[in-house]
Amino acid sequence: MSASWTADHVPDQTGRTFVITGANSGIGLAATHALARHGAHVVLAVRDTERGAAAAASVQGSTEVRRLDLADLASIREFAGGVDRPFDVLLNNAGVMAVPEGRTVDGFERQMGTNHLGPFALTNLLLPQLTDRAVTQSSLMHKYGRINFDDLGWERRRYRRWQAYSASKLANLLFAVDLQRRLDAAGSPLRSLAAHPGYAATNLQTHTGNPLVTLALRAGNALLAQSAEQGVLPLLYAAVVDLPGGAYVGPTSLNEARGAPGLAGRSARATDEDLAALLWQESERLTGVTFGLTT
């Protein structure tokens, strides 16, 4: 890791294709700009294709826009079915944070459904076309997460938005760990990595559905957060640097809140292989999607 590593250090990506979820704003759009500027073709996978097209118009480089709603398994299957040629890197960037209690189209708790079950299904469905790596965006908040298999959908407990968010971010890391284990077992050269942006100011903090929470987060953004252009660096680093499968990348300063990218720390729960295997089994049951490669 270089203490001065920035988006300008992204190597030439000519001839490579990246699929980025949530690419129309925030960190996803910052990644799109950086990768396209270095020669990559970027597929912006977005819920709102009009907003996606407006974002793509601001990018200097090769892009295309395709609809993808991670809160809808039918949309995920349609998107994956339309990927008819090999591509290099999948960046599972899209997500929601601390939103009010709600359900996805398929009845999943909204944060676990959008942040974990959607990317779980998408990644496995795209594995046959993937040639290099998948990078899954987690969060510092994973350290506070717990996976409650008795009530994964918050149907019997009082809903707590931050606990639900933290659980979904822990699930992201457990997924990345178990995906790498399965890739290794299958003899695949593909890599599964994860990243987190530290404390970055993005539109996640403006869609909580609670005016007081949103106001507090906006104040935190103004006083403490780094920009999306800085927050994207761990995701870019994980996407283009030659790192081993299973690596987890984050900022390296101020307890990983900001700074240049490097290898990040994770909670003991996030490396629990038994917990990861249980989550994988439950994710398969809920989504109907299994490991995307034959073993």
Side-chain angles (χ1 to χ4, degrees), residues 106-241:
D106 304 285
F108 308 139
E109 185 275 315
R110 181 159 44 164
Q111 296 193 83
M112 185 63 76
T114 305
N115 296 351
H116 166 62
L117 293 171
F120 172 90
L122 177 68
T123 304
N124 278 296
L125 290 169
L126 290 177
L127 279 183
Q129 300 285 29
L130 189 65
T131 64
D132 183 2
R133 70 187 79 181
V135 183
T136 300
Q137 189 83 286
S138 184
S139 165
L140 282 169
M141 291 295 291
H142 88 269
K143 296 179 180 180
Y144 305 98
R146 303 285 193 282
I147 305 295
N148 185 329
F149 289 105
D150 292 329
D151 190 20
L152 195 65
W154 290 84
E155 295 171 328
R156 295 188 291 276
R157 293 172 288 166
R158 178 186 175 188
Y159 186 71
R160 298 186 181 277
R161 65 176 71 202
W162 284 108
Q163 289 182 17
Y165 176 70
S166 299
S168 73
K169 294 290 102 180
L170 173 58
N172 289 150
L173 281 180
L174 291 170
F175 165 59
V177 165
D178 210 45
L179 177 57
Q180 186 60 51
R181 182 185 68 79
R182 290 169 184 268
L183 291 170
D184 289 342
S188 171
L190 297 178
R191 286 173 281 183
S192 168
L193 299 94
H196 79 83
Y199 188 178
T202 71
N203 63 354
L204 279 181
Q205 290 97 340
T206 64
H207 292 94
T208 67
N210 182 310
L212 292 178
V213 172
T214 297
L215 182 63
L217 290 173
R218 282 178 170 167
N221 283 354
L223 294 172
L224 302 172
Q226 57 185 358
S227 67
E229 287 71 26
Q230 293 170 307
V232 75
L233 296 181
L235 187 68
L236 287 175
Y237 195 82
V240 302
V241 173

Side-chain angles (χ1 to χ4, degrees), residues 57-116:
S58 73
V59 176
Q60 293 184 339
S62 176
T63 62
E64 65 180 281
V65 177
R66 292 196 52 209
R67 185 179 184 277
L68 170 67
D69 184 352
L70 289 170
D72 183 348
L73 287 173
S75 175
I76 293 169
R77 289 184 181 277
E78 181 178 3
F79 179 91
V83 179
D84 56 2
R85 60 178 64 91
F87 71 101
D88 299 278
V89 179
L90 170 64
L91 298 183
N92 286 313
N93 164 74
V96 294
M97 183 178 77
V99 293
E101 184 174 11
R103 300 283 149 185
T104 69
V105 171
D106 304 285
F108 308 139
E109 185 275 315
R110 181 159 44 164
Q111 296 193 83
M112 185 63 76
T114 305
N115 296 351
H116 166 62

Side-chain angles (χ1 to χ4, degrees), residues 12-18 34-42 61-63:
D12 181 32
Q13 300 298 309
T14 301
R16 287 166 62 80
T17 297
F18 292 71
L35 292 166
R37 188 169 68 246
H38 287 87
H41 176 69
V42 181
S62 176
T63 62

